[in-house]
Amino acid sequence: MSETIRIRYLSDRIEKLRPIEDKSDWIDLRSAADISLKKGESCLIPLGVAMKLPEGYEAHIVPRSSTFKNFGILQTNHMGIIDNSYSGDNDEWKMAVLAVRDTQIHTGDRICQFRIMKKQPVLIFEETDCLGGEDRGGFGSTGTR
């Protein structure tokens, strides 16, 4: 099964998006600008794309496994969520970051990745005095091994 994603490139200096066949269902995103950050500075890194996601889907943007090692940046919102209503011609995807050391990010550097996910269904919460499951010992009780 496949889905068609309408994409508008807002930079001609980044590579076109493409899935990495047989390796991952995450797709790399690249910086669309040269960025210089001093330790402690934050910014929104432009990713050079705007997309129209299919109805009922959202995109999850996270750092690549090498992003911290290579650039010394942390994604400040831990995971970016883009829903399908963020789909205007100039609704550029960005990554919010904080530098933990002085760093340089160059146009075209792979700094994050995304995948699309079905949105959560509508939930109804039913209040009860007993859930019926066995207590496991509280939050954090599974130990370190």
Side-chain angles (χ1 to χ4, degrees):
M1 187 174 103
S2 63
E3 291 281 350
T4 299
I5 308 276
R6 295 182 65 206
I7 185 168
R8 179 168 185 240
Y9 289 94
L10 302 169
S11 171
D12 59 2
R13 298 181 59 210
I14 59 171
E15 288 185 27
K16 304 291 187 200
L17 298 188
R18 59 181 162 70
I20 303 170
E21 294 187 33
D22 300 325
K23 286 192 174 184
S24 174
D25 57 352
W26 289 83
I27 298 169
D28 287 338
L29 292 165
R30 298 170 183 272
S31 175
D34 292 327
I35 308 280
S36 293
L37 292 170
K38 298 286 186 200
K39 180 179 179 179
E41 290 182 334
S42 61
C43 78
L44 291 172
I45 299 175
L47 301 173
V49 295
M51 294 185 216
K52 174 64 175 162
L53 299 176
E55 190 67 37
Y57 285 84
E58 62 192 17
H60 296 182
I61 297 174
V62 298
R64 298 179 73 244
S65 61
S66 61
T67 297
F68 182 77
K69 176 184 69 129
N70 290 339
F71 302 105
I73 56 174
L74 298 171
Q75 186 172 7
T76 57
N77 55 349
H78 305 287
M79 177 171 71
I81 306 291
I82 298 175
D83 66 33
N84 62 320
S85 70
Y86 189 71
S87 61
D89 285 341
N90 296 300
D91 285 341
E92 183 172 16
W93 290 18
K94 296 182 181 185
M95 180 184 185
V97 301
L98 172 71
V100 298
R101 61 174 162 85
D102 292 358
T103 191
Q104 293 283 327
I105 300 164
H106 302 287
T107 301
D109 284 345
R110 294 182 301 161
I111 58 164
C112 59
Q113 56 193 336
F114 83 98
R115 67 177 301 178
I116 66 167
M117 306 283 291
K118 272 196 172 272
K119 288 184 179 179
Q120 179 170 278
V122 173
L123 301 177
I124 299 169
F125 294 98
E126 179 183 334
E127 190 171 343
T128 182
D129 291 330
C130 179
L131 296 175
E134 183 180 333
D135 286 340
R136 292 184 39 198
F139 187 78
S141 64
T142 58
T144 59
R145 298 183 191 260

